[in-house]
Amino acid sequence: MTPVLTVIGSGTLVPSGERSSACHLLETRDHGLLLDAGPGAVHGMARHGKPWWKVTHVVFTHYHADHFGDFPHLLFALRWAPPSPRSRPLHVIGPPGLTDRVAALRRAFGDFIVDPGFEVAFHEVGGGSWEGADADAPRLRFLPVPHTESSVAVRVTTRGRSLGYTGDTGPDPALGPFFRGVDLLVSECAQADPPLSPSHLSPASVAAMARSARPGTLVLTHLYPPLDGASAARLVRDAGYDGVVVCAHDGQHFVLE
C-alpha cells in the first residue's frame, strides 16, 4: 500500500463545525500513525471511514490540549470499542513531559491509561530519531522548535516515502533543511501577516520555510480565522513560494508519491 495521509483535524482550539483540532493519520500497509490527537480525533477517524482501531503509533509534537486532548479517548476506545480484541502493541512517542502527563492521566482516568488490555509502550524523545523493532515501521526524526519548552517537528520515512509535520512552531531557519525534499509537508499556518505571536507560522514564514524545504506538496493546516479558507494558499504563493500548495480540510487524503 502506498502511504496515504488523511487530515482528521485541520483546525485549532477555536470551536468549529467544519474543522476538528489537530490530528493527521498516515496509513501504510501494516501501520497507522497518528500525528497529534486533538479533541475530536477518534470520532473524526470514524466519521471519515478510517480504521481507528488499527492505529499502531501515536506521535505528539507537544502537549497543548488541541493536540493532545483526545488521547484518553483513543485508549478508552481501543480498550472497549474495537471490532475484536487488540493484540498489537501501541507505541506512543512524544517530547519531554510525556511520562509526567501519562502519570497524571492515570490518576485522573484510571489504570487503563497504562494497561488497556494490550501493550502500550511510551517513548519520550527530544531531538534525534526513533525507530521501532519492526523493520517496516515508520522511522521518525525530531527537531526541537520554538513553540513550547519541549515542542518538536517530525519527519517520517516509510516505504521509501517521506512526510514532514511542523506541529506548532514559530519561524526557525532549521525547519527548511530539516524537511528538505519531503514528498509531503504538512505545515501549520495559524496567523495572518504580520503575526501577533512569535510561536506560530504565518503565510510569509511558511513560504520562507517551503522555499528552503522544496517539498513535493505543501499542505496548510491548523488555520485560525481569518485564514480559515483557501486564501491561506494564495497568501503563501503571494509571499514568494511557487510550489504546489493546498489548504487542508478535514477528511482530505494525500497519497505520498
Side-chain angles (χ1 to χ4, degrees):
M1 173 183 175
T2 301
V4 176
L5 181 85
T6 301
V7 179
I8 305 300
S10 59
T12 65
L13 59 84
V14 177
S16 168
E18 298 180 354
R19 296 183 185 275
S20 295
S21 293
C23 182
H24 303 79
L25 174 66
L26 179 64
E27 295 175 278
T28 66
R29 183 181 61 193
D30 298 317
H31 299 91
L33 184 147
L34 273 188
L35 293 164
D36 287 330
V42 180
H43 284 303
M45 284 188 281
R47 185 178 304 112
H48 299 303
K50 297 285 95 179
W52 53 268
W53 60 93
K54 292 185 178 180
V55 169
T56 56
H57 298 74
V58 182
V59 179
F60 291 111
T61 61
H62 64 294
Y63 302 112
H64 282 163
D66 58 331
H67 292 250
F68 186 70
D70 227 30
F71 182 49
H73 182 188
L74 176 64
L75 291 173
F76 199 70
L78 291 174
R79 174 71 175 90
W80 295 109
S84 60
R86 183 185 179 100
S87 58
R88 296 188 69 178
L90 178 69
H91 293 278
V92 182
I93 305 112
L98 179 63
T99 301
D100 290 344
R101 284 166 175 79
V102 168
L105 290 174
R106 184 179 186 179
R107 292 193 298 271
F109 294 106
D111 288 343
F112 80 89
I113 294 292
V114 295
D115 185 19
F118 53 88
E119 180 186 354
V120 182
F122 295 97
H123 312 275
E124 194 169 291
V125 301
S129 61
W130 183 89
E131 294 186 21
D134 181 355
D136 194 44
R139 300 192 305 277
L140 309 175
R141 289 175 53 202
F142 301 94
L143 175 73
V145 294
H147 184 66
T148 67
E149 291 183 357
S150 60
S151 295
V152 293
V154 186
R155 180 172 178 142
V156 185
T157 303
T158 180
R159 304 188 67 81
R161 302 298 180 187
S162 56
L163 165 71
Y165 176 52
T166 64
D168 284 1
T169 178
D172 187 334
L175 287 165
F178 180 70
F179 291 130
R180 187 158 295 151
V182 294
D183 297 296
L184 189 70
L185 174 53
V186 181
S187 173
E188 71 130 294
C189 188
Q191 300 183 344
D193 289 302
L196 298 176
S197 166
S199 62
H200 281 292
L201 298 179
S202 66
S205 53
V206 171
M209 173 186 66
R211 285 195 300 270
S212 174
R214 305 307 304 179
T217 299
L218 173 65
V219 178
L220 306 180
T221 189
H222 203 264
L223 300 153
Y224 278 96
L227 289 179
D228 194 9
S231 62
R234 175 181 56 79
L235 290 170
V236 169
R237 288 191 288 267
D238 289 347
Y241 182 61
D242 61 0
V244 178
V245 55
V246 178
C247 185
H249 59 79
D250 290 14
Q252 193 169 11
H253 304 280
F254 296 92
V255 179
L256 274 66
E257 57 183 5

